[in-house]
């Protein structure tokens, strides 16, 4: 290699009173290098001459050039900067004047010199050694010479020239320097540099003969920033926090001047800047920027701070804390959880006082932390090692060296988590299909070493993406594990190589396609209505997920089962109990191994064959004449051809005639000999094309001689009084097509005509619903179609409600439908539940009671079947989130879903406002519910009308006296289970409560009330039942045991009732007869006329009321009539005409009041009659109609056991009591006013003598009858109290029984004009003076303890039924079944 030339730039400061060292002169001899320095110095004395400068510099060269022999050439490379501040401007050649750096102060002229020194050497290693030597120098280098001082502040290599292999010169600038643009332009630049006119270049092909060399570029030489803090022992002021305050500015200026003066000697010093103040005395934070600095240089410069700063600042020289001189490094660069982290701190300082901090908390040696510190050749190195780092180790770490000042460095580290997101568990089918496993992270996967591990020999292929490692698996059938479904774990591991290791496991299930076979228990053709089964076997033993499909639609899972027969064999069997056309098609059985299906298919054809119940027989039961052919007919729907035979008396006949129409009917003409004595049974047999057969139900025929035939037409033949059963006649659709109707009609031969005695035909809509329900239940997917079907059922039941109310056959059909669909599991969704329960609500409405009574007479099990259907439906509900509450008119449903770790009671309350506020409550304590399995249900359904529908208990004196509440659960009950039910009494007068539940096994499975396992507790108006099981509960109550039984001897009050009622009716008839006889004699003036109008209508109204009272009493012990329309009519008319009695009395009182108070005002007779009749009949009619209209729809108009207004449920009795008592009060006031007017008349108010006589008689009527009537009904009110005295009952009985007699005596016979008219007309002189002394006459029946129907009806006028004895003061009431005929009028 050729000779290398290096240009060195030196900065030097010169000044007086320096001592020049001379050591090292001998090292200059023989130098072969050229050295160039630039000296920049602030001189403290007079400006030296160039000679002094060169002379002063020589010893330095000798001192600092120890690495090689050098050739030194000074001329002409010494440059002097002019002194401008002194007004002098030395003449310096322009080409030698490289840079003016600083001007001296007056007196002591600081002079800066920049000296370029060339060093030539053939040793290429000299350049590196020289750079290292310059780096380790401690600046400034002070050279003392006489009368001057020379400080060398920096030495930098700027230019390097060398020869290439082609002997071409290359002069390149070191980093941070560049050739000036003029040099680049004047010389050839190296091929790699293409400058523009303005820019510099970094390489030329020759060294300029006169310079300049490479010059410092802006930002060229890297600078360092040293952060230092120092404490001032003065009080901190808040103004120092505000950079705009004067105090802040003053401190900042003074301190920065002092810091500049102290640190300007640092190599390449640039600035000193205060960055802020902190409290703690006053802590000053400042920073120094320089080209480089060593610890020694910083310490030397820092000692000058106290001298450079005013003493008032009281700087603490030992408080310095320096940052920027400590080199800190962290390994590894990217840190992850689990890594081992090593931090190195190094400083050119000999000290062992080192401390490490994490987030200002000191770190000590521990299990995870290790600190090691060593010092070698004035360099101290401290190492902090942290093992298994976590995210808590994130943050700033500081190392602090003390000697005695503090030297620190801080490094922030971030510990990143290794978040591996693996692909999910998967299945691998052993058929060569590729499956990809993956593990991914947030960052670059290349930072990690990846590895996949497994315990099986099925290995995969590894591949990498930017942030994932992937593993591809592929297995064939031979590689599959022996046991299908084997689960293998594959683990992906990621490691950093620094201690962190993370892994994730992925479960892989190896699946093998199963061999599945399907077989049938029968041939491929199955007749409709027959049962069959299909068996599906798999050589993979798995029953976890098996499905059956027909025509690609899922089959209800309840219809098939699966069993594991061996470790390598599973068997599933589908059973169809009754095939329909819905089962016709292709069946697919599928075994699932997780996501792998294995299937087999077969086809089954369903061949039509009529179902037995769908064969219509004609006749079903009837008569045939001997030796006369009788047409026997079997009809079916459809067009399939069958072979049909008729079997009569075990004799088969194929003499069949087929008729076509909407129905296909097969007929047979049969004749029986007259010698046959026994009845005939016939049936038909249908045989389809695969020779399966079905036999119809038998037709039962009785033989009669021709001479005994009384009825003979198309219906049939029969004797007088005989009954025959025929199929229902077909109906017509809108197109006129005949539609078969389910059911039958029973005819009776009466007077040679067949008359219908029972029609059991089902309406078209309900028949269609029943057929659909049968198909739904026997079909392959009932659960899917149930919700839609129930909505259709509900809507059509509403439309057919009238048909259901009037036909027990339609009612029974709906119950059958509900029973069919109740076992189909369904989700507990509001729509499904509402449609089912609303249908039940319709058929238990009070409007269906008569149909229920008729149905129970025929089939007592239907009501029990309905209750069972609701129970089954409740148990089959599959819970979703909760059980929605359903509220209907006659039933309510509430329930819960048992949650995991349930700790709450089951507490549900029910209230029916339309049923006399019947209420109930169900309570199951939490210690019982918590034993039920999670996600099970408890459901309660309360019925308000079912008590009228379910058959009565065997004990006829007991009735259901509250709600019927059914509670079910689909969980197994614990052995110590207990439920508490609270029932509000429907009739509080009934006694002896009995808690019962509906036992479906009673009465040959017809059901009945059973009290096993239940205990009652009477709580006044409520009964609390505690039972140890679940089902439908209610309470039974009966009459008081002290009540006399039916048929017992009459009691004294009963005799009074009978006698008083007879006298009352007779008296009213006599009264009406007398009024008719003397009418024209006693109605000559208007007042008399209106008085007799009122008396006559009072008598007529009371007579009609008594007649209806007799009707009510006559049906009192006949339950069917009491619960029928006759009783409702009797109640209505008794109410109407008893009110008329009072309103006519009011009319009489108002007429008298008007005649006496408004004497001068005259009103025509017609208007007075219109007003009187409106009051007497109009007002009672309005009140009566409103009462029945409001209460009858809710079955609360009349008493359950009597034909009189209800009291317990609706308080309808007040519609009579309130008007009656108001009228009594008004008439009493009128009587007082009239008496005052008569006794103290005013001028002009005196009526005529005849008018006065009539008014006086009317006043007597009002004054007499009103107190009697008022007192009578006042005693009636007193009997409402349970604790009322028997005396009130006796008085009420006496006064009520003789009301008719009161009207005869006080209204007619005590009228002198009436007696005179009778005397004049019939010459009965004795009548004019005769006074009839009668007592206890009235218009209603009393409260007696008698068993007569009359007294019973009288007792219920005020709604209180019960038993009263003269010897007892306690009264009780009865409910719907009576053992006593004694009633109370008030309740």
């Amino acid at each position: 290699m050729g000779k290398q030339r290096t240009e060195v730039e030196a900065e030097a400061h010169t000044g007086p009173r320096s001592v020049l060292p001379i050591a090292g002169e001998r090292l200059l001899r023989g130098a072969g290098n050229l050295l160039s320095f630039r000296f920049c110095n602030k001189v403290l004395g007079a400006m030296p001459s160039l000679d002094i400068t060169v002379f002063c510099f020589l010893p330095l060269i000798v001192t600092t050039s120890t690495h090689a022999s050098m050739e030194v050439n000074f001329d002409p490379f010494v440059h002097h900067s002019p002194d401008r501040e002194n007004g002098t401007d030395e003449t310096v050649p322009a080409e030698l004047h490289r840079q003016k750096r600083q001007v001296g102060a007056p007196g002591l002229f600081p002079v800066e010199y920049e000296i370029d020194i060339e060093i030539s050497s053939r040793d290429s290693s000299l350049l590196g050694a020289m750079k290292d030597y310059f780096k380790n120098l401690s600046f400034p280098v002070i050279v003392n010479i006489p009368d001057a001082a020379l400080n060398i502040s920096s030495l930098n290599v700027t230019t390097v020239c060398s020869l290439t292999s082609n002997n071409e010169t290359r002069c390149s600038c070191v980093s941070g320097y560049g050739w000036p643009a003029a040099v680049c332009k004047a010389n050839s630049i190296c091929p790699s540099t293409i400058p523009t006119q303005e820019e510099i270049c970094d390489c030329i092909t020759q060294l300029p003969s006169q310079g300049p060399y490479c010059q410092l570029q802006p930002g060229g030489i890297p600078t360092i920033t040293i952060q230092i803090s120092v404490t001032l022992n003065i009080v901190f002021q808040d103004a120092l926090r505000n950079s705009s305050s004067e105090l802040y500015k003053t401190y900042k200026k003074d301190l920065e001047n002092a810091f500049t003066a102290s640190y300007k000697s640092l190599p390449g010093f640039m600035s000193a800047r205060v960055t802020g103040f902190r409290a703690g005395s006053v802590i000053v934070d400042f920073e120094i920027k320089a080209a480089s600095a060593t610890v020694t240089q910083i310490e030397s410069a820092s000692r000058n701070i106290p001298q450079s700063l005013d003493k008032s600042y009281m700087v603490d020289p030992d408080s310095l804390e320096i940052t920027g001189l400590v080199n800190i490094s962290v390994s590894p660069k990217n840190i992850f959880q689990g890594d081992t982290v090593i931090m190195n701190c190094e400083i050119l300082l000999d000290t062992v006082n080192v401390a490490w901090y994490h987030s200002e908390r000191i770190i000590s040696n521990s299990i995870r932390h290790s600190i090691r510190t060593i010092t070698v050749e004035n360099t101290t190195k401290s190492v902090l090692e942290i093992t298994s780092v976590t995210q808590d180790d994130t943050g700033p770490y500081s190392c602090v060296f003390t000697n005695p000042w503090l030297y620190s460095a801080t490094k922030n580290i971030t510990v990143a988590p290794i978040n591996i997101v693996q692909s999910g568990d998967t299945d691998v089918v052993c058929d060569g299909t590729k499956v990809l496993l993956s593990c991914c992270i947030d960052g670059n996967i290349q930072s990690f070493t990846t590895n996949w591990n497994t315990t099986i020999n099925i290995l995969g292929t590894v591949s990498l993406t930017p942030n994932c490692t992937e593993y591809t698996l592929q297995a064939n059938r031979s590689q599959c594990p022996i046991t299908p479904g084997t689960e293998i774990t594959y683990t992906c591991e990621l490691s950093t190589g620094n201690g962190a290791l993370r892994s994730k496991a992925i479960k892989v299930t190896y699946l093998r396609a199963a061999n599945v076979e399907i077989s049938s228990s029968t041939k491929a053709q199955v007749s409709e209505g027959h049962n069959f089964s299909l068996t599906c076997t798999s050589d993979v033993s798995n029953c976890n997920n098996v499905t059956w499909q027909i025509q690609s639609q899922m089959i209800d899972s309840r219809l098939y089962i699966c069993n594991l027969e061996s470790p390598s064999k599973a068997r599933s069997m589908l059973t169809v109990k009754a095939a329909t056309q819905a089962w016709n098609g292709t069946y697919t059985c599928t075994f699932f191994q997780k996501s792998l299906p294995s299937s087999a298919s077969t086809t089954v054809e369903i061949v039509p064959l009529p179902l037995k119940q769908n064969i219509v027989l004609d006749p079903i039961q009837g008569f045939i004449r001997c030796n006369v052919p009788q047409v026997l007919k079997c009809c079916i729907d459809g067009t399939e051809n069958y072979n049909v035979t008729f079997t009569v008396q075990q004799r088969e006949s194929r003499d069949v005639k087929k008729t076509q129409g909407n129905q296909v009917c097969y007929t047979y003409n049969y004749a029986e000999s007259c010698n046959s004595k026994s009845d005939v049974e016939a049936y038909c047999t249908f045989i389809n094309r695969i020779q399966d057969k079905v036999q119809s139900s038998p037709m039962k025929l009785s033989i009669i001689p021709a001479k005994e035939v009384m009825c003979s037409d198309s219906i049939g033949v029969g004797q007088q009084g005989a009954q025959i059963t025929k199929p229902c006649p077909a109906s017509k659709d809108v197109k006129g097509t005949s539609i078969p109707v389910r059911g039958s009609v029973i005819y009776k031969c009466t007077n040679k005509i067949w008359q219908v005695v029972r029609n059991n035909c089902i309406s078209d809509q309900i028949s269609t619903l029943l057929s659909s329900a049968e198909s739904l239940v026997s079909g392959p997917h009932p659960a899917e179609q149930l919700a839609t079907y129930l909505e259709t059922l509900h809507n059509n039941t509403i439309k057919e409600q009238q048909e259901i109310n009037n036909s027990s056959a339609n009612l029974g059909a709906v119950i059958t439908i509900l029973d069919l669909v109740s076992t189909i599991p369904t989700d507990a969704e509001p729509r499904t539940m509402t449609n089912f329960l609303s249908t039940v609500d319709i058929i238990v409405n009070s409007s269906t009671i008569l149909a229920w009574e008729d149905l129970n007479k025929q089939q007592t099990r239907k009501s029990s079947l309905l209750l069972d259907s609701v129970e089954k439906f409740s148990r089959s509900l599959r819970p979703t989130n909760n059980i929605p509450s359903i509220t209907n008119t006659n039933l309510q449903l509430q329930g819960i879903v048992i949650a995991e770790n349930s700790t709450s009671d089951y507490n549900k309350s029910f209230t029916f406002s339309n049923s006399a506020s019947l209420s109930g409550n169900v309570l199951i304590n939490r210690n019982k519910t918590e034993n039920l399995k999670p996600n099970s249900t408890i459901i309660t359904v309360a019925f308000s009308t079912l008590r009228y529908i379910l058959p009565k208990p065997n004990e006829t004196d007991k009735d259901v006296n509250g709600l019927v509440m059914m509670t079910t659960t689909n969980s197994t009950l614990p052995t110590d289970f207990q439920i508490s039910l609270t029932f509000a009494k429907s009739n509080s007068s009934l006694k002896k409560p009995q808690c019962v539940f509906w036992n479906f096994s009673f009465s040959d499975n017809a059901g009945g009330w059973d009290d096993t396992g239940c205990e009652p507790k009477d709580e006044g108006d409520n009964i609390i039942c505690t039972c140890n099981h679940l089902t439908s509960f209610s309470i039974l109550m009966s009459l008081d045991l002290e009540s006399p039984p039916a048929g017992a001897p009459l009691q004294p009050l009963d005799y009074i009732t009978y006698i008083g009622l007879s006298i009352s009716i007779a008296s009213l008839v006599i009264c009406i007869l007398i009024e008719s006889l003397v009418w024209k004699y006693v109605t000559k003036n208007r007042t008399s006329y209106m008085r007799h109008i009122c008396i006559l209508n009072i008598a007529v109204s009371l007579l009609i009321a008594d007649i209806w009272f007799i009707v009510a009493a006559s049906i009192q012990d006949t339950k069917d009539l009491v619960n029928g329309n006759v009783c409702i009519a009797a109640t209505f008319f008794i109410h109407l005409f008893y009110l008329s009695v009072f309103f006519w009395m009011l009319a009489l009182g108002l007429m008298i009041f008007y005649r006496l108070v408004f004497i001068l005002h005259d009103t025509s007779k017609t208007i007075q009659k219109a007003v009187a009749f409106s009051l007497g009949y109009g007002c009672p009619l309005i009140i009566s109609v409103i009462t029945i209209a409001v209460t009858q729809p809710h079955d609360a108009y009349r008493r359950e056991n009597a034909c009189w207004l209800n009291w317990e449920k609706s308080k309808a009795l007040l519609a009579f009591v309130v008007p009656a008592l108001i009228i009594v009060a008004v008439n009493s006031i009128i009587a007082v006013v009239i008496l005052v007017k008569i006794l103290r008349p005013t001028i002009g108010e005196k009526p005529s003598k005849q008018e006065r006589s009539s008014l006086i008689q009317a006043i007597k009527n009002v004054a007499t009858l009103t107190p009697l009537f008022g007192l009578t009904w006042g005693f009636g009110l007193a009997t409402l109290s349970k604790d009322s005295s028997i005396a009130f009952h006796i008085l009420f009985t006496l006064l009520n029984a003789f009301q008719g007699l009161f009207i005869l005596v006080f209204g007619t016979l005590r009228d002198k004009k009436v007696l005179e008219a009778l005397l004049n007309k019939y010459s009965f002189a004795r009548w004019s003076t005769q006074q009839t002394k009668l007592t206890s006459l009235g218009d209603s029946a009393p409260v007696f303890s008698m068993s007569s129907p009359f007294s019973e009806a009288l007792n219920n006028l005020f709604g209180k039924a019960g038993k009263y004895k003269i010897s007892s003061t306690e009264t009780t009431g009865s409910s719907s079944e009576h053992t006593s005929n004694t009633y109370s009028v008030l309740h």
Side-chain angles (χ1 to χ4, degrees), residues 222 616 1035 1155 1386:
V616 179
I1035 53 170
R1155 293 299 299 164
L1386 297 179

Side-chain angles (χ1 to χ4, degrees), residues 983-1243:
F983 297 89
K985 297 177 183 177
S986 173
N987 185 348
S988 58
S989 64
L990 298 184
K991 302 298 179 183
K992 290 190 65 64
Q994 183 180 8
C995 293
V996 291
F997 71 95
W998 189 258
N999 191 330
F1000 292 98
S1001 63
F1002 275 17
S1003 305
D1004 295 329
N1005 296 322
W1009 292 111
D1010 185 0
D1011 63 354
T1012 304
C1014 293
E1015 294 294 332
K1017 182 180 180 182
D1018 198 333
E1019 295 284 348
D1021 292 334
N1022 297 314
I1023 300 296
I1024 299 177
C1025 297
T1026 304
C1027 302
N1028 58 15
H1029 55 84
L1030 291 180
T1031 184
S1032 299
F1033 299 92
S1034 193
I1035 53 170
L1036 298 179
M1037 298 183 72
S1038 63
L1039 296 169
D1040 196 348
L1041 291 178
E1042 295 183 1
S1043 298
L1050 297 178
Q1051 300 299 318
L1053 289 179
D1054 292 319
Y1055 285 109
I1056 298 175
T1057 302
Y1058 282 116
I1059 296 171
L1061 186 61
S1062 300
I1063 294 174
S1064 182
I1065 293 175
S1067 298
L1068 291 171
V1069 172
I1070 294 171
C1071 178
I1072 295 171
L1073 181 60
I1074 292 174
E1075 287 289 337
S1076 63
L1077 292 176
V1078 300
W1079 184 258
K1080 63 174 63 177
Y1081 299 100
V1082 296
T1083 58
K1084 293 181 178 179
N1085 61 66
R1086 193 172 299 172
T1087 302
S1088 178
Y1089 177 82
M1090 290 306 301
R1091 184 181 74 82
H1092 283 279
I1093 285 286
C1094 294
I1095 291 296
L1096 181 60
N1097 280 281
I1098 290 172
V1100 170
S1101 297
L1102 187 56
L1103 178 61
I1104 296 174
D1106 285 345
I1107 292 172
W1108 274 106
F1109 193 87
I1110 294 172
V1111 173
S1114 65
I1115 66 174
Q1116 197 71 46
D1117 290 331
T1118 308
K1119 281 295 175 185
D1120 291 342
L1121 294 176
V1122 170
N1123 293 327
N1125 293 329
V1126 176
C1127 188
I1128 294 175
T1131 303
F1132 176 79
F1133 287 113
I1134 292 173
H1135 183 206
L1136 172 63
F1137 287 105
Y1138 272 132
L1139 279 179
S1140 294
V1141 171
F1142 281 91
F1143 274 95
W1144 276 109
M1145 287 179 60
L1146 177 62
L1148 180 60
L1150 291 176
M1151 183 270 296
I1152 300 171
F1153 180 80
Y1154 173 77
R1155 293 299 299 164
L1156 283 179
V1157 175
F1158 301 98
I1159 292 177
L1160 300 179
H1161 189 277
D1162 194 12
T1163 305
S1164 67
K1165 188 185 298 184
T1166 302
I1167 294 177
Q1168 291 186 32
K1169 284 198 296 182
V1171 173
F1173 276 90
S1174 297
L1175 276 176
Y1177 294 115
C1179 292
L1181 182 62
I1182 292 172
I1183 295 173
S1184 301
V1185 169
I1186 291 175
T1187 303
I1188 192 172
V1190 171
T1191 57
Q1192 179 59 26
H1194 304 296
D1195 195 27
Y1197 177 58
R1198 58 172 181 79
R1199 292 291 305 275
E1200 295 179 3
N1201 54 345
C1203 301
W1204 183 231
L1205 298 174
N1206 186 285
W1207 174 256
E1208 291 87 357
K1209 292 182 179 179
S1210 63
K1211 301 294 187 290
L1213 183 59
L1214 294 176
F1216 172 71
V1217 173
V1218 172
L1221 295 183
I1222 290 175
I1223 291 172
V1224 169
V1226 171
N1227 273 7
S1228 298
I1229 295 172
I1230 289 174
V1232 173
V1233 173
I1234 292 172
L1235 289 175
V1236 172
K1237 282 286 185 180
I1238 291 176
L1239 296 176
R1240 301 177 62 183
T1242 58
I1243 300 174

Side-chain angles (χ1 to χ4, degrees), residues 212 480 640 1071:
C480 226
E640 185 77 8
C1071 178

Side-chain angles (χ1 to χ4, degrees), residues 95 154 159 177 269 395 505 552 623 626 713 759 1009 1051 1067 1171 1334:
E95 65 273 13
S154 66
T159 309
Y177 289 83
F269 172 79
S552 300
F623 301 91
C626 58
D713 54 23
N759 186 339
W1009 292 111
Q1051 300 299 318
S1067 298
V1171 173
L1334 298 172

Side-chain angles (χ1 to χ4, degrees), residues 701-761:
L701 307 172
S702 299
I703 302 172
I704 59 172
K707 62 181 180 180
E708 297 182 7
V709 174
M710 295 297 294
C711 295
S712 178
D713 54 23
S714 59
I715 296 175
V717 297
Q719 302 161 300
Q720 176 68 23
Q723 292 185 348
I724 63 173
T725 305
K726 298 276 287 182
C728 295
S731 63
K732 302 287 186 180
D733 61 13
V734 292
K735 297 180 180 180
T737 306
S738 296
I739 301 175
V741 177
R742 290 197 184 199
S744 62
V745 181
I746 300 176
Y747 298 89
K748 183 177 182 180
C749 180
T750 304
N751 298 327
K752 298 183 180 183
I753 298 174
W754 288 111
Q755 295 183 347
V756 177
V757 294
R758 176 172 289 280
N759 186 339
N760 289 326
C761 298

Side-chain angles (χ1 to χ4, degrees), residues 520-531:
S520 174
S521 62
T522 60
K523 50 195 174 183
Q525 292 178 314
V526 179
S527 292
E528 199 169 348
H530 288 207
N531 66 331

